[in-house]
Amino acid sequence: MKRWLVWLPLCAFGVIVAVIAWGLWQPADRTVRSALVGRPLPDFVLPAIAPGKPGLASADFRQGSPRLLNVFASWCVPCVAEAPQLLTLKAAGVPIDAIAIKDTPGDVSAFLRRNGDPYARVGADAHSRVQLALGSSGVPETFVVDGKGVIRAQHVGDIRAEDVPDLLQALADAK
């Protein structure tokens, strides 16, 4: 009996090491998801920030057809990386609106000139109030919004080429 007790601390130490090692090799998904998926967009009205484009309001999403809502910033490197995919979606006939976070009209204009302009409307969210109300934790993020203004899906991070079919399917499902 006493022989077994001698090995108990070593066994306990081995279990602790195994749990820590498992945690290191299987990291948790730390993606912050919006609690508004399946719920209506919060009410908002944002002023225009891009020359020649109207601002953005939650009422714009209750016009009968699904749309993408892209949360971006001109200072965001992953936003540059997703620009070609947004242009691909626009070319496929997908209407895309945007919220520019903590940005200036000059910087947004330069960003759209350099990277292409897939947006129908761009609203300015200078203090990230609408971004936070959406449950968005960063930029870029994209929401699929149905024609009644209900958020149907959320894509966290930059849109990559392999994400385009999933977004197209989410838009089709939102009809």
Side-chain angles (χ1 to χ4, degrees), residues 14-41:
V15 168
I16 292 170
V17 168
V19 168
I20 291 171
W22 180 78
L24 291 173
W25 276 286
Q26 301 294 328
D29 180 13
R30 299 192 189 281
T31 304
V32 178
R33 302 279 177 208
S34 174
L36 291 184
V37 175
R39 298 177 53 197
L41 281 171

Side-chain angles (χ1 to χ4, degrees), residues 9-156:
L10 184 60
C11 290
F13 178 74
V15 168
I16 292 170
V17 168
V19 168
I20 291 171
W22 180 78
L24 291 173
W25 276 286
Q26 301 294 328
D29 180 13
R30 299 192 189 281
T31 304
V32 178
R33 302 279 177 208
S34 174
L36 291 184
V37 175
R39 298 177 53 197
L41 281 171
D43 287 330
F44 65 87
V45 176
L46 295 173
I49 192 168
K53 294 198 177 284
L56 188 62
S58 54
D60 297 326
F61 292 89
R62 295 189 287 269
Q63 303 297 325
S65 63
R67 312 178 67 77
L68 290 182
L69 173 58
N70 183 248
V71 181
F72 84 104
S74 66
W75 42 264
C76 162
V77 174
C79 296
V80 174
E82 82 172 351
Q85 281 62 251
L86 289 172
L87 291 170
T88 298
L89 287 163
K90 179 183 178 183
V94 175
I96 307 170
D97 295 315
I99 297 175
I101 304 300
K102 297 181 181 179
D103 235 319
T104 66
D107 289 342
V108 169
S109 291
F111 177 89
L112 295 176
R113 268 193 317 276
R114 275 191 317 270
N115 303 297
D117 183 359
Y119 305 121
R121 300 175 187 92
V122 183
D125 191 6
H127 303 290
S128 299
R129 289 187 182 106
V130 175
Q131 179 189 23
L132 294 174
L134 286 168
S136 169
S137 62
V139 289
E141 281 191 36
T142 304
F143 296 89
V144 175
V145 184
D146 71 12
K148 295 178 183 175
V150 176
I151 298 171
R152 294 298 172 191
Q154 175 189 25
H155 179 83
V156 178

